[in-house]
Each structure stands twice: as structure tokens, then as C-alpha cells.
Amino acid sequence: MNKLYTFFLILLFLIPNLKAQEVKVIDPPFWWANMPVTELQIQLYGENLGSYRATVNYAGVEIKRQIAVDSPNYLFIYLDISEKAAAGKLEIILKNGDGSISVPYELLEREPAEGRYQGFDSRDVIYLMMPDRFANGNPDNDTIEGMLESADRSNPQRRQGGDIQGVVDNLDYIKDLGVSAVWFTPLFENDMTTKYGAYHGYAATDLYKVDRRFGSNEEYKAMIETVHENGMKVIMDMIHNHIGDQHWWMKDLPTKDWVHDFEKLGQTNFRGSVASDPYASEFDSRKLVDGWFVPEMPDLNQDNELLTDYLIQNTLWWIEYTGVDGIRMDTYVYPDKDYMARWSKEVLEAYPGFNIVGEAWVNTVAGEAYWQEDKDGVDDGYDSELPSLTDFQFAFAVRKAFNEDFGWTEGLSQLYYVLSQDFLYSDPMMNVTFLDNHDMSRFFEHIGKREAEFKMALAWLMTTRGTPQIYYGTELMMGHENRGGDDEVWRQTMPGGFPNDSRSVFTKEGRTQKENEIHEYTKKLIHWRNSSPAIHEGKLVHFIPQDNVYVYFRVHKDQTVMVVMNNSEENRTLERVRFAEILDKFKSGQNVMNNRTIDLSDDFSVDAKSTVILELK
């Protein structure tokens, strides 16, 4: 009887503790010793954890701050981890009046930096893909029990089943093309409802997890290592402007101001130019920054210090964990711009060889240049700290260039004028240039499926300044195959990447004759570009387009390249004297695409609807 009574007394004592003993979330799940930053914020989530206070007894680790917030279920702990702290397992002890909780935590050894976080620049060619639309290497993860959406190949607006294994299975195809970096749209967990879906990855529901329908964190890390072993780099897509409305935070926000109030602010105005407008109203500015991108994507409040610390630390965690080489930050102009500058600065200070490209989708060159670090001619005191930009002005210009008749400012003149404004950028060579991407109509479709113009535009992309990006399928001259949705029109799957596909474009035999022709053209261009110092870092000298012909040079001490783009319906003869300032040093040029030599000692002709790329001799 006494033993039973004692048992019930113990049980009664433990019951209050048992309710609070489950720590449901620990972010980040682990950290590293000897990191380039010493401060670590740990977010703990579980019932009533805000009522606890933490202690740590581990050499070199000290609690600097601990913060309870509006929700009683969160506790934020700030640790100082000095260089004296060795890798190992530590214990965080949480105590309140009812008892204590032991929270195990681990500091790992950092992996050697060699071959990791390498950055990217104008020597690279980037291949952009949406993993869901590229290839399905593991059909077993198409449907995950408990997740809100399964793959549905009958509906192009739904998840298709592409995954990490599909990328790994087809790395040989990507490597053979000659690209040196691969940019994946986000792989974060996007456990959104079927009504909205989130195959694209831009509605994160957990910022520390890869979506299980793509694979696991471990598979993502292993894929990056495999890409590195194949001599290529990886660019990770991130979003700090918003999350998905099914993010676990939304069921119990840490603070009342963790996200902006949709009822008060509605959606953003999508006018990125407001952020740099010296005359912008407070109403428009707040609408841009605090409005939600879509109703399913809560807008994060970067005025909240706990949140901004969380986001910066999340970035550092992914870089250290995976060794990824660069980041493309989505919707860069929509969050608080001072926060984005702080984020860029802290990431690049922690990883000096790293690079970041920000999506700056605005309407003018000046508006875009505003977002590049150390810009000239801006007197509002803002420095974004951002090295690289997605060059939408380049994309807009090339789309107009081949859809307009030639004129003083029209047609090929668009290319000339967009480059003539490069003085606004601190370093236009760092711009990521492209013909199309996952948010735009495919270029081949946009120009009316005209092959000659497509090849000219591709040659322009590969020979002018900047870091070129190719959207998956562009190397096959893809048009629009799906007709069932908006974005999905240009986000089709790669034939051969999915079970029961009738053919595979990953093989020469599976491609059509025309696909093989353009694939070989693209491949040859890229492989030549990879070994061209003039294209990587040479000075650009261009001449005003005349008679629908645009001529420019890339001049380097070890190589000079001449590019002649003739968009007219007739062959054109070029007068040598016009280009004498450069051609006087050379007698001939070797065509990089067919190895033929052209005599440049006199006037010379160029075929209609063609681009000639010459290495000068």
C-alpha cells in the first residue's frame, strides 16, 4: 500500500512537467564549433517553454540573452560560442518552478572549406531548373503520407514529381552542356494545400527542412557534393520576404508582429521602383514592403529583431551544412531594404568567397542599379551590400530587339542602349543575364519561334558582359507545351525525366533533329565561352547599330573577340575603316563556330540573320 501511494505521489509531481517536457522544435537543429560568427540564436518551441530559464555548462559557451515572447510556447536563447568551444554534445537545462528539462544540443566539427562555398562570377554559365519539372528519379516520394499535396501528372498546375534523385540521375547531361553552375528553385518544405500547391518552392513551411517530396536534407547535401565532384557549383534559392500560410509558425506566431497584418495591408503593389523613388509616399512604400505577395504567402516583418536574427542564421546554417556556392535571393526589393543590406553584409563577411544574386525585377536600368553595392550617383545614403543582380533590363531589351523593326531606338538598338547605361552599375559584369526564366514566357515562344533570331540572341547572351543563365529547356529551343495555366505554360517537364515519357531529351537519340542542332549549337557556344578570357573579363567596345547590324568587341590582353550580329533579311558588307581602332592590330578572324578564317584586311560581308563570333588573329 505504501509503495502504491508513493508511486501516485511521484506521478502527481511529474504530471505538470510532462506537459512541458516535449520540445517540439529546435532551430537550428545543430551548429558548429569555430564558426565565423560567435553568436547563436536557438529557437525552442513547446508547451509553456516561455516560462523556463536556461543554463549551460560547457567550456567556451555562455548564455548571453534569453527571451520569452508573446506566445508562451517559445523561448529564444542567445549563446556566445567562443573559439575555445570544442565540437561536442552539450546540454541546455531549462528550469521553472515545476521542474527542469534537459535539451541536448550538438556542436559539430566544420568540414574543410576546400571546394565549398566557391561563389560565382562572369566565368560561369548558370543552368536554372525547377526540380519538380526536371526529372523524377524516385517515384516513391511522389506521395508522402500526411503531406497536403501529391504529384498529379494530369494537371500542369500541380506537383509533377521531380526530385533530387532526378537531378543526380541527369547530371551527366548538365555537365556535358558545359555549364559550370546549377541554380535550383527552392527545395524548402512547401507543405501547402492542393488548392494553392507550391511545387515551385516559394511558399516555405519549414526553413530548416528540404521538402520530402524532393528528398531529405541529407540527399540535398549529397547532391551538392556530387555536383562539386563533377566540377560544377550550386546556387541555392532563398526567400526572406514571405513564407507559406501553412508554415508551422502560423498556427502559433512567436510575436504578434512576426508577420504583417493582411487585413490592414492586403497585397503588395508589386512596384519595386518605389523602394528607390525619392518622392515615394509612405503609403506606397509600406504597401510594397509590408503587403503580402499573394494571400497564401504571409509577409515576414523584418523590423522584428528576433526574426531577422533567425533568418540570417538560417542562411549561415544552410551554407555551412551543404557547402553551397551561392544564393539567389527571391523578391529582393520587397523586404525591408536595410535588413537585406544587413543580411548580405553578414553573409559575405562570414563567407568571403561566396556570392549572392538578388532578384531585382523593376522597370528601369537606374531602378535596378540602385540595388547593387557601392553604386555611384545615388545620394540617399543606401548601400545594398549586394554584389550581383538578376538583369531584367537585359532580358527586356533582348525580347524587344527581336520583336521590333530596326530603328533609331528599336530592334537591335535596344541592345546598344541597355548596355550604354552600364555606368549606373558598380560592376555590370556581376549581373546575371538571361533570355528567360521560370517567371517569364519562354524566349523561343516570345519571338514567334523564329530559329535564326533565337540563335542570335543566344550568341548575344554568351558573348556580352555579365554571367549568363540558361533556363532548363532553352538549350533545346523549348516553346510552350502546356496550355493549362499561367506560369505552368513555361514550366513544363523535361521529356524523358518522368516515368512513361515517350522519349528522352537527355539522350541524342531521344531528341528531334532540330533539338539536336540547337543543343549542339548551345553546347559549342558554352564550351568555347568557358575558355575565353575576353568574354570572362575583357573590356566591351560596341558600335552604334546600323542597317540592322550590331558590332561589338571583347578586348583582353590575351584575346580579342569580334561579334557581328546581322538581323536584316540580306547579307551585309561592313566597312573595315569603321572598326579600324581595333581591327588595325589584326589581319583575320577565326569563326569560333566553324573554324573558318575570315580576311579582315578589307571590307567583309556577313550573312543575313546570323551572328558571327571571331577570335581575331
Side-chain angles (χ1 to χ4, degrees):
M1 186 68 177
N2 286 340
K3 289 182 179 179
L4 185 62
Y5 178 76
T6 301
F7 170 78
F8 277 116
L9 284 177
I10 293 172
L11 186 61
L12 286 170
F13 175 78
L14 289 177
I15 283 174
N17 254 354
L18 290 173
K19 290 181 180 179
Q21 280 183 348
E22 184 183 4
V23 179
K24 296 178 181 178
V25 179
I26 304 175
D27 283 344
F30 51 82
W31 200 244
W32 294 266
N34 299 309
M35 282 286 278
V37 294
T38 60
E39 184 177 84
L40 170 64
Q41 178 208 78
I42 297 178
Q43 182 192 80
L44 300 177
Y45 179 70
E47 189 174 351
N48 293 320
L49 287 186
S51 66
Y52 286 74
R53 287 297 171 264
T55 58
V56 171
N57 184 14
Y58 192 86
V61 177
E62 180 184 357
I63 293 179
K64 303 299 288 185
R65 288 185 290 158
Q66 44 191 311
I67 302 168
V69 289
D70 294 335
S71 168
N73 301 320
Y74 290 85
L75 180 63
F76 290 84
I77 303 171
Y78 282 81
L79 302 181
D80 180 74
I81 303 176
S82 75
E83 58 185 22
K84 297 178 181 179
K89 295 180 179 179
L90 58 91
E91 187 179 33
I92 302 171
I93 302 298
L94 305 179
K95 293 183 179 180
N96 71 1
D98 294 323
S100 65
I101 304 170
S102 173
V103 181
Y105 202 78
E106 188 168 10
L107 296 179
L108 304 177
E109 290 278 5
R110 297 183 70 192
E111 295 184 35
E114 185 178 359
R116 309 176 89 227
Y117 22 87
Q118 303 168 80
F120 58 90
D121 56 32
S122 58
R123 293 169 294 180
D124 291 299
V125 176
I126 301 168
Y127 190 77
L128 162 62
M129 72 168 72
M130 305 194 80
D132 179 63
R133 304 303 167 106
F134 191 68
N136 187 347
N138 180 14
D140 290 342
N141 64 21
D142 291 357
T143 299
I144 300 291
E145 185 176 354
M147 299 197 81
L148 298 175
E149 184 184 14
S150 302
D152 180 3
R153 291 282 284 137
S154 69
N155 186 345
Q157 293 180 289
R158 298 273 75 82
R159 192 174 291 272
Q160 300 295 292
D163 50 32
I164 291 170
Q165 189 59 51
V167 174
V168 173
D169 291 347
N170 293 288
L171 272 182
D172 287 347
Y173 170 85
I174 300 170
K175 181 179 180 180
D176 179 67
L177 194 61
V179 300
S180 55
V182 187
W183 157 22
F184 302 97
T185 52
L187 290 161
F188 297 118
E189 178 192 275
N190 275 227
D191 192 13
M192 299 288 285
T193 62
T194 303
K195 178 183 177 182
Y196 176 71
Y199 66 84
H200 46 67
Y202 292 101
T205 56
D206 193 318
L207 290 170
Y208 277 98
K209 289 181 182 177
V210 166
D211 195 295
R212 287 174 289 164
R213 291 158 297 189
F214 290 138
S216 64
N217 285 18
E218 294 76 18
E219 286 176 288
Y220 180 47
K221 182 177 187 294
M223 176 191 68
I224 292 174
E225 292 170 351
T226 302
V227 173
H228 285 166
E229 289 167 3
N230 278 273
M232 295 181 287
K233 306 170 183 179
V234 175
I235 299 171
M236 184 178 189
D237 210 327
M238 286 190 170
I239 321 96
H240 283 186
N241 181 64
H242 53 261
I243 54 176
D245 63 5
Q246 299 300 308
H247 191 292
W248 63 270
W249 278 334
M250 298 305 294
K251 298 176 177 64
D252 185 5
L253 288 172
T255 66
K256 295 174 182 176
D257 65 348
W258 200 255
V259 300
H260 291 117
D261 189 339
F262 183 76
E263 295 300 320
K264 291 182 179 178
L265 297 162
Q267 287 186 243
T268 179
N269 51 28
F270 300 101
R271 299 298 182 94
S273 58
V274 168
S276 57
D277 180 359
Y279 310 116
S281 66
E282 289 185 15
F283 178 88
D284 288 344
S285 297
R286 190 177 182 204
K287 190 78 168 172
L288 169 70
V289 174
D290 296 351
W292 290 26
F293 201 76
V294 295
E296 295 83 4
M297 292 179 176
D299 192 81
L300 294 171
N301 176 19
Q302 293 87 22
D303 289 330
N304 185 305
E305 184 180 356
L306 290 173
L307 172 61
T308 55
D309 288 346
Y310 180 99
L311 293 173
I312 292 170
Q313 191 167 273
N314 177 259
T315 303
L316 301 180
W317 188 90
W318 280 108
I319 296 171
E320 189 65 30
Y321 174 62
T322 65
V324 69
D325 303 291
I327 288 171
R328 180 263 188 184
M329 179 56 80
D330 182 68
T331 53
Y332 197 91
V333 304
Y334 288 80
D336 177 83
K337 65 183 184 181
D338 290 325
Y339 162 70
M340 294 311 303
R342 175 194 164 199
W343 171 80
S344 296
K345 185 174 188 292
E346 293 190 19
V347 169
L348 294 172
E349 285 179 347
Y351 297 94
F354 203 68
N355 195 14
I356 300 167
V357 54
E359 183 196 24
W361 193 330
V362 292
N363 299 319
T364 64
V365 173
E368 192 151 49
Y370 178 86
W371 295 98
Q372 193 173 46
E373 62 182 351
D374 297 326
K375 61 220 159 306
D376 295 325
V378 176
D379 61 4
D380 70 349
Y382 179 69
D383 184 350
S384 72
E385 307 282 350
L386 179 68
S388 179
L389 300 167
T390 51
D391 198 337
F392 278 91
Q393 310 316 309
F394 178 102
F396 299 156
V398 74
R399 285 168 165 248
K400 291 178 181 177
F402 295 103
N403 268 340
E404 295 177 345
D405 292 334
F406 180 72
W408 191 268
T409 59
E410 296 79 28
L412 287 189
S413 297
Q414 291 277 350
L415 306 183
Y416 172 82
Y417 282 112
V418 76
L419 290 191
S420 71
Q421 299 173 76
D422 272 1
F423 67 90
L424 291 167
Y425 296 106
S426 58
D427 187 359
M429 286 291 283
M430 289 299 292
N431 286 9
V432 172
T433 55
F434 53 96
L435 305 179
D436 49 15
N437 67 17
H438 58 295
D439 289 324
M440 307 170 78
S441 60
R442 286 192 174 270
F443 184 77
F444 185 51
E445 189 83 29
H446 186 82
I447 61 169
K449 295 189 174 181
R450 289 173 286 142
E451 180 182 343
E453 284 84 348
F454 179 87
K455 293 171 75 173
M456 281 190 281
L458 197 60
W460 157 255
L461 177 68
M462 291 298 163
T463 56
T464 192
R465 57 85 171 145
T467 305
Q469 166 248 295
I470 292 181
Y471 183 39
Y472 79 98
T474 295
E475 74 277 12
L476 303 172
M477 212 159 59
M478 263 192 183
H480 296 167
E481 296 182 9
N482 296 326
R483 301 294 172 186
D486 295 325
D487 294 342
E488 290 70 29
V489 169
W490 47 82
R491 296 176 180 176
Q492 63 264 53
T493 56
M494 286 282 276
F498 294 79
N500 303 317
D501 282 353
S502 59
R503 66 188 186 102
S504 175
V505 296
F506 296 113
T507 67
K508 185 175 182 179
E509 297 75 22
R511 296 191 286 265
T512 66
Q513 179 180 345
K514 188 57 65 180
E515 285 172 339
N516 274 317
E517 288 176 10
I518 198 64
H519 182 273
E520 287 305 305
Y521 180 81
T522 306
K523 177 180 172 181
K524 192 163 188 175
L525 260 177
I526 294 174
H527 278 269
W528 168 77
R529 187 189 191 280
N530 289 343
S531 59
S532 174
I535 304 303
H536 297 164
E537 53 191 42
K539 177 184 177 182
L540 193 149
V541 179
H542 66 171
F543 292 77
I544 298 170
Q546 291 182 359
D547 298 325
N548 216 356
V549 178
Y550 182 33
V551 178
Y552 56 97
F553 295 83
R554 302 299 305 278
V555 182
H556 185 269
K557 63 183 179 63
D558 297 324
Q559 182 192 46
T560 297
V561 172
M562 179 182 190
V563 183
V564 182
M565 186 184 301
N566 179 10
N567 192 33
S568 70
E569 301 288 346
E570 301 172 351
N571 296 352
R572 295 292 193 201
T573 297
L574 302 184
E575 296 180 351
R576 183 186 183 281
V577 67
R578 187 172 177 231
F579 313 106
E581 63 191 79
I582 295 177
L583 290 185
D584 275 354
K585 299 176 184 178
F586 305 96
K587 295 180 180 180
S588 64
Q590 185 175 29
N591 189 318
V592 304
M593 300 304 286
N594 59 24
N595 293 323
R596 294 174 186 167
T597 298
I598 296 178
D599 180 12
L600 297 176
S601 62
D602 202 349
D603 298 349
F604 55 96
S605 66
V606 179
D607 291 343
K609 293 292 180 182
S610 69
T611 296
V612 178
I613 306 169
L614 302 172
E615 287 190 30
L616 301 188
K617 307 293 184 182

